[in-house]
Amino acid sequence: MARKAYPRRARVTGTLMLLVALGAAGCTGDPAAEDSPDAKPAGGQATTAQAEPGKYQTLPQPCRAVETGTLDAMLPGLAELDQEQRQKAYEGTSSVTYDSDRRTGCRWKVDSADAGHLLRIDFERVVSYSASVSDDARAQAVYGDRMKEADLPLPSDPREEQPERRADDSAKADRDEARATAPADDEAGQGASPETSEKPGKGEEEKGKGAGKSEEPADETVDPSAPAEGLEPRLLQELADDAFIDDQLTTSSSGSGQRTVTVVFRTSNVIVTVEYEAQPKQVAEVPDSASMQEKARELAVLLAERLSDV
């Protein structure tokens, strides 16, 4: 009686299934290797790096950012209040914001017998939602918009000034060379041009004719609303990463002048605004620009230092 061949067929079939499984694994690769974090994309291309986040992830409490001594100096009316009113005035009024991690602010307003003063500060933390643009770069763009709103000139690129400077230098060199190669006049006047030798006293004669005439003073009308020289709106090089100061004087319907000094500076991804206003009660008085600018700049420096501690 012949022996059955079923067991042998079973072994052959099992071997074929194992080979097919190994072949399939070799063609498709190891799924675990593909999911590995160390695996590189096809072609060996590296993943695009994300832009770095800004230095600041939170903001200080604005109504506690200004010391009482600074408030006393900037708001003279505080000295005329009683103790309870003064303490309430020191607390300030918080700005209404929807996200205190993105924007905060505070204002103080005090009236005195001579003038009314208002101080406002604002902190804005800029966040970029683009993977290729950092928070700092986005903040710098927002700061640039603030400069445009204040009508301040943008910083010039030194590379744009080089062709003009080279042209001026070339023209100056040509003039110097022409002077060096021109014949020098001797003591007797030889070598002078015919026009000069024929009319040697022409200039003296014209000068004598005009000696008896009085010169009319030039019309130098000064705009009272414009800050003095050196106090005009300008960039502040010594403050934070970028900074500028603006100074505006407006006249109310009653004729009194209201001056507003604004300092805006950027440090990393945070933009800080200091707004300082003064309006005298007397119609003829104008707030002093130099004093207000100095106080506003000093406060901005203190806020920059306070921000560095956050």
Side-chain angles (χ1 to χ4, degrees), residues 83-124:
Q83 185 176 357
E84 183 178 354
Q85 291 177 330
R86 189 184 305 116
Q87 186 60 37
K88 185 176 181 180
Y90 283 146
E91 295 175 358
T93 303
S94 299
S95 303
V96 178
T97 60
Y98 298 98
D99 188 351
S100 58
D101 283 336
R102 291 289 305 277
R103 191 158 195 168
T104 60
C106 191
R107 64 190 296 270
W108 298 262
K109 181 175 175 60
V110 180
D111 291 329
S112 65
D114 298 328
H117 290 82
L118 181 142
L119 173 63
R120 184 180 69 86
I121 63 174
D122 180 87
F123 295 93
E124 180 182 1

Side-chain angles (χ1 to χ4, degrees), residues 262-273:
T262 306
V263 177
V264 179
F265 69 87
R266 179 189 70 86
T267 173
S268 186
N269 62 317
V270 171
I271 298 175
V272 182
T273 302

Side-chain angles (χ1 to χ4, degrees), residues 16-296:
L16 291 175
M17 292 178 64
L18 178 61
L19 292 174
V20 171
L22 292 174
C27 294
T28 60
D30 186 3
E34 293 181 358
D35 295 338
S36 172
D38 296 332
K40 295 182 179 180
Q45 297 179 354
T47 305
T48 304
Q50 297 289 327
E52 294 184 0
K55 175 181 179 181
Y56 299 100
Q57 301 300 316
T58 186
L59 294 172
Q61 296 185 7
C63 291
R64 298 181 182 178
V66 184
E67 298 180 353
T68 57
T70 301
L71 293 174
D72 289 336
M74 301 185 73
L75 307 172
L78 284 171
E80 302 176 7
L81 302 177
D82 58 41
Q83 185 176 357
E84 183 178 354
Q85 291 177 330
R86 189 184 305 116
Q87 186 60 37
K88 185 176 181 180
Y90 283 146
E91 295 175 358
T93 303
S94 299
S95 303
V96 178
T97 60
Y98 298 98
D99 188 351
S100 58
D101 283 336
R102 291 289 305 277
R103 191 158 195 168
T104 60
C106 191
R107 64 190 296 270
W108 298 262
K109 181 175 175 60
V110 180
D111 291 329
S112 65
D114 298 328
H117 290 82
L118 181 142
L119 173 63
R120 184 180 69 86
I121 63 174
D122 180 87
F123 295 93
E124 180 182 1
R125 186 174 67 91
V126 181
V127 177
S128 171
Y129 293 101
S130 173
S132 60
V133 179
S134 66
D135 292 348
D136 283 20
R138 176 57 185 159
Q140 191 170 12
V142 174
Y143 169 82
D145 292 338
R146 297 290 302 274
M147 286 185 58
K148 292 179 182 179
E149 293 174 0
D151 292 331
L152 264 74
L154 294 175
S156 59
D157 188 348
R159 294 172 296 180
E160 297 177 357
E161 300 178 358
Q162 289 179 358
E164 183 179 354
R165 185 181 298 111
R166 285 196 298 266
D168 293 342
D169 293 343
S170 177
K172 182 177 183 299
D174 293 340
R175 291 193 299 270
D176 293 342
E177 183 178 357
R179 294 193 189 99
T181 56
D185 296 341
D186 54 19
E187 296 180 358
Q190 297 178 354
S193 62
E195 182 179 355
T196 305
S197 59
E198 290 176 3
K199 301 178 181 180
K202 182 178 180 180
E204 297 293 337
E205 180 181 357
E206 292 179 353
K207 183 177 179 181
K209 290 181 180 180
K213 296 181 180 180
S214 61
E215 297 182 358
E216 297 181 359
D219 185 11
E220 298 180 354
T221 304
V222 179
D223 184 2
S225 64
E229 185 177 356
L231 299 175
E232 63 277 356
R234 61 197 183 280
L235 300 180
L236 300 176
Q237 304 293 341
E238 73 280 2
L239 179 60
D241 295 330
D242 298 294
F244 71 85
I245 187 169
D246 193 14
D247 190 323
Q248 300 295 329
L249 180 65
T250 57
T251 304
S252 65
S253 57
S254 62
S256 61
Q258 174 181 302
R259 185 177 296 281
T260 303
V261 174
T262 306
V263 177
V264 179
F265 69 87
R266 179 189 70 86
T267 173
S268 186
N269 62 317
V270 171
I271 298 175
V272 182
T273 302
V274 176
E275 189 175 278
Y276 185 34
E277 295 181 2
Q279 184 170 359
K281 298 292 181 65
Q282 299 296 329
V283 175
E285 293 185 5
V286 176
D288 182 62
S289 181
S291 175
M292 291 185 63
Q293 287 194 23
E294 181 180 4
K295 293 176 181 178

